[in-house]
Amino acid sequence: MDKGFEKYKECMEYIQSHPEYRLKYEAYFKNVTDEANRLYTAREEGKQEAEQKIVKNCLKHGLTAEQIEEMVGFDPRPYID
């Protein structure tokens, strides 16, 4: 077995056998996963904002929804008022 994985396994067994460390680890893990979720959400929101700007700009230049979809590769209809 890989030495790094073996060390990880030992650490996790130690944490599980000591309630005070387990609680700290669980709080740390929750913080890490919450931050990862916040970053993912922010990225998705940024992507949607960028797509909306692209669609609005294309519409301003007279392109149809079909032309926009062909050009950008995603369905622009959710961004059309």
Side-chain angles (χ1 to χ4, degrees):
M1 193 179 307
D2 184 273
K3 288 184 181 182
F5 183 73
E6 187 62 40
K7 184 70 173 170
Y8 170 79
K9 185 177 164 187
E10 289 173 19
C11 287
M12 293 309 294
E13 288 171 355
Y14 182 80
I15 288 170
Q16 292 300 325
S17 66
H18 293 82
E20 67 277 10
Y21 293 129
R22 190 187 83 240
L23 292 174
K24 287 181 182 180
Y25 175 78
E26 287 172 355
Y28 165 78
F29 189 76
K30 183 181 182 319
N31 286 336
V32 168
T33 55
D34 286 350
E35 182 64 16
N37 287 333
R38 280 191 293 275
L39 291 172
Y40 176 80
T41 299
R43 182 178 181 273
E44 289 300 308
E45 288 172 355
K47 180 181 171 188
Q48 288 177 352
E49 286 178 24
E51 288 177 350
Q52 183 177 22
K53 286 180 182 180
I54 291 168
V55 169
K56 293 206 180 288
N57 193 34
C58 289
L59 289 170
K60 187 167 57 173
H61 286 85
L63 296 174
T64 66
E66 292 77 21
Q67 290 170 323
I68 297 170
E69 184 172 13
E70 184 177 322
M71 186 173 74
V72 298
F74 61 85
D75 182 8
R77 289 183 252 309
Y79 304 110
I80 297 174
D81 298 325

